[in-house]
Amino acid sequence: RSGSFNVCWCGAHDACIGPASYNMHVGVLVAGGPKQGQVHNPPLGVPFTYTLEGWGLTRDDRIRIIDHTYSCGNDGAERMSGGVWHSSVPVLGPSLSSGDDPGNLTSVAWEGIILTRVS
């Protein structure tokens, strides 16, 4: 999950029991990446643009559209679904992006994807 977190410290000499032990703020932890859980409903057979929003995104990012029977990060996630028209498979980085810093974009998008069937 993306977001900001405070990092509180408890030294090894303390018992580190209860909130009073973690009394020194040592920093902020910020997790970036795309917003998760976005749902898109494109029509079949019509080109659409798939957009990811978040931060820390780059033009080198890639996506795979996989059948729902597979899970991201597991075997099968490296293969594009057969439901994506072969000529529209997004194999390169995004065609559109927004943000001032190339290493910290806030939006990336792949255009012209066509779904031919639902898995």
Side-chain angles (χ1 to χ4, degrees):
R1 186 180 98 188
S2 296
S4 297
F5 305 88
N6 288 321
V7 179
C8 304
W9 179 77
C10 174
H13 63 279
D14 291 332
C16 298
I17 299 173
S21 297
Y22 297 88
N23 60 358
M24 183 177 293
H25 180 266
V26 294
V28 175
L29 174 64
V30 181
K35 294 178 184 175
Q36 296 180 10
Q38 299 178 62
V39 177
H40 300 264
N41 296 300
L44 294 178
V46 177
F48 72 98
T49 299
Y50 185 81
T51 303
L52 283 177
E53 295 177 332
W55 62 275
L57 306 172
T58 74
R59 305 253 321 148
D60 293 324
D61 293 347
R62 303 289 186 268
I63 61 170
R64 288 289 176 266
I65 300 170
I66 62 174
D67 291 335
H68 74 279
T69 55
Y70 295 103
S71 297
C72 294
N74 293 321
D75 288 340
E78 72 285 357
R79 292 186 299 273
M80 194 68 67
S81 169
V84 179
W85 188 45
H86 62 83
S87 295
S88 74
V89 168
V91 293
L92 300 175
S95 51
L96 301 172
S97 63
S98 62
D100 296 330
D101 180 352
N104 189 20
L105 299 172
T106 56
S107 175
V108 291
W110 290 262
E111 299 177 287
I113 300 169
I114 300 172
L115 298 181
T116 58
R117 65 172 171 79
V118 181
S119 67

Coordinates of all heavy atoms in Angstrom, one line a residue, residues 29-101:
L29 N 8.6 7.3 6.6 CA 8.7 6.2 5.6 C 7.6 6.5 4.5 O 6.5 6.6 4.9 CB 8.6 4.8 6.2 CG 8.5 3.6 5.2 CD1 9.9 3.5 4.5 CD2 8.2 2.4 6.0
V30 N 8.0 6.6 3.3 CA 7.0 6.9 2.3 C 7.1 5.8 1.2 O 8.2 5.6 0.7 CB 7.3 8.3 1.6 CG1 6.3 8.6 0.5 CG2 7.3 9.4 2.6
A31 N 6.0 5.2 1.0 CA 5.9 4.1 0.0 C 5.2 4.6 -1.2 O 4.1 5.2 -1.1 CB 5.2 2.9 0.6
G32 N 5.8 4.4 -2.4 CA 5.2 4.9 -3.6 C 4.7 3.7 -4.5 O 4.8 2.6 -4.1
G33 N 4.3 4.1 -5.7 CA 3.9 3.1 -6.6 C 2.5 3.5 -7.1 O 1.9 4.5 -6.7
P34 N 1.9 2.6 -7.9 CA 0.5 2.8 -8.4 C -0.5 2.6 -7.3 O -0.3 1.9 -6.4 CB 0.4 1.8 -9.5 CG 1.3 0.7 -9.1 CD 2.5 1.3 -8.4
K35 N -1.6 3.4 -7.5 CA -2.8 3.1 -6.6 C -3.3 1.8 -7.0 O -3.4 1.4 -8.2 CB -3.9 4.2 -6.9 CG -3.5 5.6 -6.5 CD -4.6 6.5 -6.8 CE -4.2 7.9 -6.6 NZ -5.3 8.9 -7.0
Q36 N -3.6 1.0 -6.0 CA -4.0 -0.4 -6.2 C -5.5 -0.5 -6.2 O -6.2 0.3 -5.6 CB -3.4 -1.4 -5.2 CG -1.9 -1.4 -5.3 CD -1.3 -2.4 -4.3 OE1 -2.0 -3.1 -3.7 NE2 0.0 -2.3 -4.2
G37 N -6.1 -1.5 -6.8 CA -7.5 -1.8 -6.8 C -8.3 -1.0 -7.8 O -9.5 -1.0 -7.7
Q38 N -7.7 -0.4 -8.8 CA -8.4 0.3 -9.8 C -9.2 -0.6 -10.6 O -8.7 -1.7 -11.0 CB -7.5 1.2 -10.6 CG -6.7 2.2 -9.8 CD -5.8 3.0 -10.6 OE1 -6.2 3.7 -11.6 NE2 -4.5 2.9 -10.4
V39 N -10.4 -0.3 -11.0 CA -11.2 -1.2 -11.8 C -11.6 -0.4 -13.1 O -12.0 0.7 -13.1 CB -12.5 -1.6 -11.1 CG1 -13.4 -2.4 -12.0 CG2 -12.2 -2.4 -9.8
H40 N -11.4 -1.0 -14.2 CA -11.7 -0.5 -15.5 C -12.7 -1.4 -16.2 O -12.6 -2.6 -16.1 CB -10.4 -0.3 -16.4 CG -9.4 0.6 -15.8 ND1 -9.3 1.9 -16.1 CD2 -8.4 0.3 -14.8 CE1 -8.3 2.4 -15.3 NE2 -7.8 1.5 -14.6
N41 N -13.6 -0.8 -17.0 CA -14.6 -1.6 -17.7 C -14.6 -1.2 -19.2 O -15.6 -0.7 -19.6 CB -16.0 -1.4 -17.1 CG -16.0 -2.0 -15.7 OD1 -15.8 -3.1 -15.4 ND2 -16.3 -1.1 -14.7
P42 N -13.6 -1.6 -19.9 CA -13.6 -1.2 -21.4 C -14.5 -2.1 -22.2 O -14.6 -3.3 -21.8 CB -12.1 -1.4 -21.8 CG -11.6 -2.4 -20.9 CD -12.3 -2.2 -19.6
P43 N -15.1 -1.6 -23.2 CA -15.9 -2.5 -24.1 C -15.0 -3.4 -24.9 O -13.8 -3.1 -25.2 CB -16.6 -1.5 -25.0 CG -15.8 -0.3 -25.0 CD -15.1 -0.2 -23.7
L44 N -15.5 -4.6 -25.2 CA -14.7 -5.5 -26.1 C -14.6 -5.0 -27.5 O -15.6 -4.4 -28.0 CB -15.4 -6.9 -26.1 CG -15.4 -7.7 -24.7 CD1 -16.2 -9.0 -24.9 CD2 -14.0 -7.9 -24.2
G45 N -13.4 -5.2 -28.1 CA -13.2 -4.9 -29.5 C -13.0 -3.4 -29.8 O -12.9 -3.0 -30.9
V46 N -12.9 -2.6 -28.7 CA -12.7 -1.1 -28.9 C -11.5 -0.7 -28.2 O -11.2 -1.0 -27.1 CB -13.9 -0.3 -28.3 CG1 -13.7 1.2 -28.4 CG2 -15.2 -0.8 -29.0
P47 N -10.5 0.0 -28.9 CA -9.3 0.4 -28.3 C -9.6 1.3 -27.1 O -10.5 2.1 -27.1 CB -8.6 1.2 -29.4 CG -9.2 0.8 -30.6 CD -10.6 0.4 -30.3
F48 N -8.8 1.1 -26.0 CA -9.0 1.9 -24.8 C -7.6 2.2 -24.2 O -6.6 1.6 -24.6 CB -9.8 1.2 -23.7 CG -9.2 0.0 -23.1 CD1 -8.6 0.2 -21.8 CD2 -9.2 -1.2 -23.6 CE1 -8.0 -0.9 -21.2 CE2 -8.6 -2.3 -23.0 CZ -8.0 -2.2 -21.8
T49 N -7.5 3.1 -23.3 CA -6.3 3.5 -22.7 C -6.3 3.1 -21.2 O -7.3 3.4 -20.5 CB -6.1 5.1 -22.7 OG1 -6.0 5.5 -24.1 CG2 -4.8 5.5 -22.0
Y50 N -5.3 2.4 -20.8 CA -5.2 1.9 -19.4 C -4.3 2.8 -18.7 O -3.1 3.0 -19.1 CB -4.7 0.5 -19.3 CG -4.7 0.0 -17.9 CD1 -5.9 -0.5 -17.3 CD2 -3.6 0.0 -17.1 CE1 -5.9 -0.9 -16.0 CE2 -3.6 -0.4 -15.8 CZ -4.7 -0.9 -15.3 OH -4.8 -1.3 -14.0
T51 N -4.8 3.5 -17.7 CA -4.0 4.5 -16.9 C -3.7 4.0 -15.5 O -4.6 3.6 -14.8 CB -4.7 5.8 -16.9 OG1 -5.0 6.3 -18.2 CG2 -4.0 6.9 -16.2
L52 N -2.5 4.2 -15.1 CA -2.1 4.0 -13.7 C -1.8 5.3 -13.0 O -1.1 6.1 -13.7 CB -0.9 3.1 -13.5 CG -1.0 1.6 -13.8 CD1 0.4 1.0 -13.7 CD2 -1.9 1.0 -12.7
E53 N -2.3 5.6 -11.9 CA -2.0 6.8 -11.1 C -1.3 6.4 -9.8 O -1.5 5.3 -9.3 CB -3.3 7.6 -10.9 CG -4.0 8.1 -12.1 CD -5.3 8.8 -11.8 OE1 -5.9 8.5 -10.8 OE2 -5.6 9.7 -12.6
G54 N -0.5 7.3 -9.4 CA 0.3 7.1 -8.1 C 1.4 8.0 -8.1 O 1.3 9.2 -8.5
W55 N 2.6 7.5 -7.7 CA 3.8 8.3 -7.8 C 5.0 7.4 -7.7 O 4.8 6.2 -7.4 CB 3.8 9.4 -6.7 CG 3.8 8.9 -5.3 CD1 2.7 8.6 -4.6 CD2 5.0 8.7 -4.5 NE1 3.1 8.2 -3.3 CE2 4.5 8.3 -3.2 CE3 6.3 8.8 -4.7 CZ2 5.3 7.9 -2.2 CZ3 7.2 8.5 -3.6 CH2 6.7 8.1 -2.4
G56 N 6.1 7.9 -8.2 CA 7.3 7.0 -8.3 C 7.2 6.1 -9.5 O 7.9 5.2 -9.7
L57 N 6.3 6.5 -10.4 CA 6.1 5.7 -11.7 C 7.1 6.3 -12.7 O 7.6 7.4 -12.6 CB 4.7 5.9 -12.2 CG 3.6 5.6 -11.2 CD1 2.2 6.0 -11.8 CD2 3.6 4.1 -10.9
T58 N 7.5 5.5 -13.7 CA 8.5 5.9 -14.7 C 8.0 5.4 -16.1 O 7.1 4.6 -16.2 CB 9.9 5.3 -14.4 OG1 9.9 3.9 -14.8 CG2 10.3 5.5 -13.0
R59 N 8.7 5.9 -17.1 CA 8.4 5.5 -18.5 C 9.0 4.1 -18.8 O 8.7 3.6 -19.8 CB 9.0 6.5 -19.5 CG 8.5 7.9 -19.3 CD 7.6 8.5 -20.2 NE 7.7 8.2 -21.6 CZ 6.7 8.2 -22.4 NH1 5.5 8.3 -21.9 NH2 6.9 7.9 -23.7
D60 N 9.7 3.6 -17.8 CA 10.2 2.2 -18.0 C 9.3 1.2 -17.4 O 9.5 0.0 -17.5 CB 11.6 2.1 -17.3 CG 12.7 2.9 -18.0 OD1 12.6 3.0 -19.2 OD2 13.5 3.5 -17.3
D61 N 8.2 1.6 -16.7 CA 7.2 0.7 -16.1 C 6.6 -0.2 -17.2 O 6.5 0.3 -18.4 CB 6.2 1.4 -15.3 CG 6.7 2.1 -14.1 OD1 7.9 1.8 -13.7 OD2 6.0 3.0 -13.5
R62 N 6.2 -1.3 -16.9 CA 5.5 -2.3 -17.8 C 4.3 -2.8 -17.1 O 4.2 -2.9 -15.9 CB 6.4 -3.4 -18.2 CG 7.7 -3.0 -18.8 CD 7.5 -2.5 -20.2 NE 8.8 -2.2 -20.9 CZ 9.4 -1.1 -20.8 NH1 9.0 -0.1 -20.2 NH2 10.6 -0.9 -21.5
I63 N 3.3 -3.3 -17.9 CA 2.1 -4.0 -17.4 C 2.0 -5.3 -18.1 O 2.4 -5.5 -19.2 CB 0.8 -3.1 -17.5 CG1 0.5 -2.8 -18.9 CG2 0.9 -1.9 -16.6 CD1 -0.9 -2.2 -19.1
R64 N 1.3 -6.2 -17.5 CA 0.8 -7.4 -18.1 C -0.7 -7.6 -17.8 O -1.0 -7.4 -16.6 CB 1.5 -8.7 -17.6 CG 3.0 -8.8 -18.1 CD 3.0 -9.1 -19.6 NE 4.4 -9.1 -20.1 CZ 5.0 -8.1 -20.6 NH1 4.4 -7.0 -20.7 NH2 6.2 -8.2 -21.1
I65 N -1.5 -7.8 -18.7 CA -2.9 -8.1 -18.5 C -3.0 -9.6 -18.6 O -2.8 -10.2 -19.6 CB -3.8 -7.4 -19.6 CG1 -3.5 -5.9 -19.5 CG2 -5.2 -7.8 -19.4 CD1 -4.1 -5.1 -20.7
I66 N -3.3 -10.2 -17.4 CA -3.4 -11.7 -17.3 C -4.8 -12.1 -17.0 O -5.6 -11.4 -16.5 CB -2.4 -12.1 -16.2 CG1 -2.7 -11.6 -14.8 CG2 -0.9 -11.7 -16.6 CD1 -1.9 -12.1 -13.7
D67 N -5.0 -13.4 -17.3 CA -6.3 -14.0 -17.0 C -6.5 -14.0 -15.5 O -5.6 -14.1 -14.7 CB -6.4 -15.4 -17.6 CG -6.5 -15.5 -19.1 OD1 -6.9 -14.5 -19.7 OD2 -6.0 -16.5 -19.6
H68 N -7.8 -13.9 -15.1 CA -8.1 -13.8 -13.7 C -7.8 -15.1 -12.9 O -7.7 -15.1 -11.7 CB -9.6 -13.4 -13.4 CG -10.5 -14.5 -13.7 ND1 -10.9 -14.8 -15.0 CD2 -11.1 -15.4 -12.9 CE1 -11.8 -15.9 -15.0 NE2 -11.9 -16.2 -13.7
T69 N -7.5 -16.2 -13.6 CA -7.1 -17.4 -13.0 C -5.7 -17.4 -12.5 O -5.2 -18.3 -11.8 CB -7.3 -18.6 -13.9 OG1 -6.6 -18.4 -15.1 CG2 -8.8 -18.8 -14.2
Y70 N -4.9 -16.4 -12.9 CA -3.5 -16.2 -12.4 C -3.4 -15.1 -11.4 O -4.3 -14.2 -11.4 CB -2.6 -15.9 -13.6 CG -2.5 -17.1 -14.6 CD1 -3.2 -17.0 -15.8 CD2 -1.7 -18.2 -14.4 CE1 -3.1 -18.0 -16.7 CE2 -1.6 -19.2 -15.3 CZ -2.3 -19.1 -16.5 OH -2.3 -20.1 -17.4
S71 N -2.4 -15.1 -10.6 CA -2.1 -14.0 -9.7 C -0.8 -13.3 -10.0 O 0.2 -14.0 -10.4 CB -2.0 -14.6 -8.3 OG -3.2 -15.2 -7.9
C72 N -0.8 -12.0 -9.9 CA 0.4 -11.3 -10.1 C 1.5 -11.8 -9.2 O 1.3 -12.1 -8.1 CB 0.2 -9.8 -9.8 SG -1.0 -9.0 -10.9
G73 N 2.7 -11.9 -9.8 CA 3.9 -12.4 -9.1 C 4.0 -13.9 -9.0 O 5.0 -14.4 -8.5
N74 N 3.1 -14.6 -9.6 CA 3.2 -16.1 -9.6 C 3.3 -16.6 -11.1 O 3.2 -15.8 -12.0 CB 1.9 -16.7 -9.0 CG 1.8 -16.5 -7.5 OD1 2.9 -16.5 -6.8 ND2 0.7 -16.2 -7.0
D75 N 3.6 -17.9 -11.2 CA 3.7 -18.5 -12.6 C 2.5 -18.1 -13.4 O 1.3 -18.1 -12.9 CB 3.8 -20.0 -12.5 CG 5.1 -20.5 -12.0 OD1 6.1 -19.7 -12.0 OD2 5.2 -21.6 -11.5
G76 N 2.7 -17.7 -14.6 CA 1.7 -17.3 -15.5 C 1.5 -15.7 -15.7 O 0.9 -15.2 -16.6
A77 N 2.0 -15.0 -14.7 CA 1.9 -13.6 -14.7 C 2.8 -12.9 -15.7 O 2.6 -11.7 -16.0 CB 2.2 -13.0 -13.3
E78 N 3.7 -13.6 -16.3 CA 4.6 -13.0 -17.3 C 4.0 -13.1 -18.7 O 4.5 -12.5 -19.6 CB 6.0 -13.8 -17.3 CG 6.0 -15.2 -17.9 CD 5.4 -16.2 -16.9 OE1 5.0 -15.9 -15.8 OE2 5.3 -17.4 -17.4
R79 N 2.9 -13.9 -18.8 CA 2.3 -14.0 -20.1 C 1.0 -13.2 -20.2 O 0.2 -13.2 -19.3 CB 1.9 -15.5 -20.3 CG 3.1 -16.4 -20.5 CD 2.6 -17.8 -20.8 NE 1.8 -18.4 -19.8 CZ 2.3 -19.1 -18.7 NH1 3.6 -19.2 -18.5 NH2 1.4 -19.6 -17.9
M80 N 0.9 -12.5 -21.4 CA -0.3 -11.7 -21.6 C -1.5 -12.6 -21.9 O -1.3 -13.7 -22.5 CB 0.0 -10.8 -22.8 CG -1.0 -9.7 -23.0 SD -0.9 -8.4 -21.8 CE 0.6 -7.6 -22.1
S81 N -2.6 -12.2 -21.4 CA -3.9 -13.0 -21.6 C -4.2 -13.1 -23.1 O -3.9 -12.2 -23.9 CB -5.0 -12.3 -21.0 OG -6.3 -12.8 -21.4
G82 N -4.7 -14.2 -23.5 CA -5.2 -14.4 -24.9 C -6.3 -13.6 -25.2 O -6.7 -13.5 -26.4
G83 N -6.9 -12.9 -24.2 CA -8.1 -12.0 -24.5 C -7.7 -10.6 -24.9 O -8.5 -9.8 -25.2
V84 N -6.4 -10.4 -25.0 CA -5.8 -9.1 -25.5 C -5.4 -9.3 -26.9 O -4.7 -10.2 -27.3 CB -4.6 -8.6 -24.7 CG1 -4.1 -7.3 -25.2 CG2 -5.0 -8.5 -23.2
W85 N -6.0 -8.5 -27.8 CA -5.7 -8.6 -29.3 C -4.2 -8.5 -29.4 O -3.6 -7.5 -29.0 CB -6.5 -7.6 -30.1 CG -6.4 -7.8 -31.5 CD1 -6.5 -8.9 -32.2 CD2 -6.1 -6.8 -32.5 NE1 -6.3 -8.7 -33.6 CE2 -6.1 -7.4 -33.8 CE3 -5.9 -5.4 -32.4 CZ2 -5.9 -6.7 -34.9 CZ3 -5.7 -4.7 -33.6 CH2 -5.7 -5.3 -34.8
H86 N -3.6 -9.5 -30.1 CA -2.1 -9.6 -30.3 C -1.5 -8.3 -30.7 O -0.4 -8.0 -30.3 CB -1.7 -10.8 -31.1 CG -2.2 -10.7 -32.5 ND1 -1.6 -10.0 -33.5 CD2 -3.3 -11.2 -33.1 CE1 -2.2 -10.1 -34.6 NE2 -3.3 -10.8 -34.4
S87 N -2.1 -7.6 -31.6 CA -1.5 -6.4 -32.2 C -1.5 -5.2 -31.2 O -0.9 -4.2 -31.4 CB -2.1 -5.9 -33.5 OG -1.9 -6.9 -34.5
S88 N -2.3 -5.3 -30.1 CA -2.5 -4.2 -29.2 C -1.8 -4.5 -27.8 O -1.9 -3.7 -26.9 CB -3.9 -3.9 -29.0 OG -4.6 -4.9 -28.2
V89 N -1.1 -5.6 -27.8 CA -0.4 -6.0 -26.5 C 0.6 -4.9 -26.1 O 1.5 -4.6 -26.9 CB 0.3 -7.4 -26.6 CG1 1.2 -7.6 -25.5 CG2 -0.7 -8.5 -26.8
P90 N 0.5 -4.4 -24.9 CA 1.4 -3.3 -24.4 C 2.7 -4.0 -23.9 O 2.8 -4.3 -22.8 CB 0.7 -2.6 -23.3 CG -0.2 -3.7 -22.8 CD -0.6 -4.6 -23.9
V91 N 3.7 -4.1 -24.8 CA 5.0 -4.7 -24.4 C 6.1 -3.7 -24.0 O 7.0 -4.1 -23.4 CB 5.6 -5.6 -25.6 CG1 4.7 -6.8 -25.8 CG2 5.8 -4.8 -26.8
L92 N 5.9 -2.5 -24.4 CA 6.8 -1.4 -24.1 C 6.3 -0.6 -22.9 O 5.3 -0.9 -22.3 CB 7.1 -0.5 -25.3 CG 7.7 -1.2 -26.5 CD1 7.8 -0.3 -27.7 CD2 9.0 -1.9 -26.2
G93 N 7.1 0.5 -22.6 CA 6.6 1.4 -21.5 C 5.4 2.2 -21.9 O 4.9 2.0 -23.1
P94 N 4.9 3.0 -21.1 CA 3.7 3.7 -21.3 C 3.9 4.7 -22.5 O 5.0 5.2 -22.7 CB 3.4 4.4 -20.0 CG 4.7 4.5 -19.3 CD 5.5 3.3 -19.7
S95 N 2.8 5.0 -23.2 CA 2.8 5.9 -24.3 C 2.5 7.3 -23.8 O 2.8 8.3 -24.5 CB 1.9 5.5 -25.4 OG 0.6 5.3 -24.9
L96 N 1.9 7.4 -22.7 CA 1.5 8.7 -22.1 C 2.0 8.8 -20.6 O 2.0 7.7 -20.0 CB 0.0 9.0 -22.1 CG -0.7 8.9 -23.4 CD1 -2.2 9.0 -23.2 CD2 -0.3 10.1 -24.3
S97 N 2.4 10.0 -20.2 CA 2.8 10.1 -18.8 C 2.6 11.5 -18.3 O 2.5 12.4 -19.2 CB 4.3 9.7 -18.6 OG 5.1 10.6 -19.3
S98 N 2.5 11.7 -17.0 CA 2.4 13.1 -16.5 C 3.2 13.1 -15.2 O 3.4 12.2 -14.5 CB 1.0 13.5 -16.2 OG 0.4 12.7 -15.3
G99 N 3.7 14.3 -14.9 CA 4.6 14.6 -13.8 C 5.9 15.3 -14.3 O 6.3 15.1 -15.4
D100 N 6.4 16.1 -13.4 CA 7.6 16.9 -13.7 C 8.9 16.1 -13.7 O 9.9 16.5 -14.4 CB 7.7 18.1 -12.8 CG 6.5 19.0 -13.0 OD1 5.9 19.1 -14.1 OD2 6.1 19.7 -12.0
D101 N 9.0 15.1 -12.8 CA 10.2 14.4 -12.6 C 10.1 13.0 -13.3 O 9.3 12.2 -12.9 CB 10.5 14.2 -11.1 CG 11.7 13.5 -10.8 OD1 12.4 12.9 -11.7 OD2 12.1 13.4 -9.6

